[in-house]
């Protein structure tokens, strides 16, 4: 299951998350598959109405660029649901790929998908910021949006 929600976040909301990345504690993730910089939003005392129906396992702002080791082959997640919201467009590449369906990053747009949906991210030049959530539930905001 893959859903695409245009303009899920507006410009002001995207800017808020980008600003958080400038001032919050930046952490690094690195394993044999992937490495990136991120801020853990669950560790901050923030409340987001748009995400109130989400049962998060992980929730973060993530940065990848040309220095990031990304997954070159399709992979899936081990939680029931995930989403990616694009926070900026000032980079090249970084498309999100599900088989023959390619999502070109557009600020504020969300791609929501089930954990078993194989996907990958194309190489990125410049800083690509995304809001990434890993969920244990299917949130309320999906009930009125189309499934691709």
């Amino acid at each position: 299951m893959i859903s695409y929600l245009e303009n899920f976040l507006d410009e002001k909301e995207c800017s808020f998350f980008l600003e958080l990345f400038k001032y919050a504690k930046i952490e690094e993730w690195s394993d044999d598959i992937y490495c990136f910089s991120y801020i853990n939003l669950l560790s901050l005392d923030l409340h987001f109405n748009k995400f109130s129906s989400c049962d998060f396992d992980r929730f973060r702002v993530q940065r990848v660029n040309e220095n990031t080791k990304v997954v070159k082959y399709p992979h899936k997640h081990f939680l029931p649901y995930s989403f990616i919201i694009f926070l900026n467009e000032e980079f090249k590449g970084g498309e999100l790929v599900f088989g023959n369906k390619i999502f070109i990053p557009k600020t504020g747009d969300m791609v929501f998908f089930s954990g078993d949906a194989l996907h990958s991210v194309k190489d990125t030049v410049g800083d690509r910021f995304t809001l990434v959530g890993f969920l244990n539930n299917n949130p309320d905001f999906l009930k009125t949006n189309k499934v691709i």
Side-chain angles (χ1 to χ4, degrees), residues 3-15:
S3 294
Y4 184 72
L5 291 73
E6 291 182 307
N7 301 309
F8 184 78
L9 294 182
D10 63 29
E11 186 177 321
K12 185 177 178 184
E13 291 166 322
C14 290
S15 293

Side-chain angles (χ1 to χ4, degrees), residues 10-146:
D10 63 29
E11 186 177 321
K12 185 177 178 184
E13 291 166 322
C14 290
S15 293
F16 171 79
F17 288 108
L18 289 171
E19 284 297 309
L20 277 179
F21 198 87
K22 290 180 184 177
Y23 300 107
K25 178 185 175 201
I26 297 174
E27 300 182 51
E28 301 292 330
W29 174 268
S30 184
D31 61 19
D32 293 340
I33 299 172
Y34 204 32
C35 68
F36 52 85
S37 302
Y38 72 99
I39 60 170
N40 179 1
L41 296 175
L42 295 178
S43 69
L44 304 175
D45 188 24
L46 301 171
H47 302 281
F48 308 104
N49 288 337
K50 285 192 176 180
F51 303 108
S52 62
S53 66
C54 295
D55 177 16
F56 284 108
D57 184 81
R58 288 172 275 164
F59 189 38
R60 62 186 177 226
V61 176
Q62 185 171 299
R63 177 182 61 199
V64 299
N65 57 34
E66 60 274 13
N67 300 313
T68 302
K69 178 177 75 173
V70 297
V71 182
K72 297 289 186 190
Y73 54 86
H75 65 283
K76 58 185 174 179
H77 297 161
F78 297 101
L79 288 162
Y81 302 99
S82 299
F83 67 75
I84 296 171
I85 301 173
F86 302 106
L87 296 177
N88 71 322
E89 297 173 32
E90 297 77 35
F91 56 88
K92 293 184 193 266
E95 296 91 348
L96 182 60
V97 180
F98 291 85
N100 63 355
K101 184 68 179 165
I102 299 174
F103 294 97
I104 297 171
K106 185 171 182 287
T107 302
D109 288 0
M110 173 193 278
V111 180
F112 185 93
F113 52 99
S114 56
D116 60 353
L118 288 170
H119 63 284
S120 61
V121 176
K122 291 193 175 189
D123 288 339
T124 305
V125 176
D127 288 334
R128 173 187 182 261
F129 289 94
T130 52
L131 186 61
V132 178
F134 296 89
L135 306 170
N136 297 305
N137 70 319
N138 194 345
D140 292 341
F141 56 73
L142 280 185
K143 292 177 181 168
T144 59
N145 292 280
K146 73 175 185 179

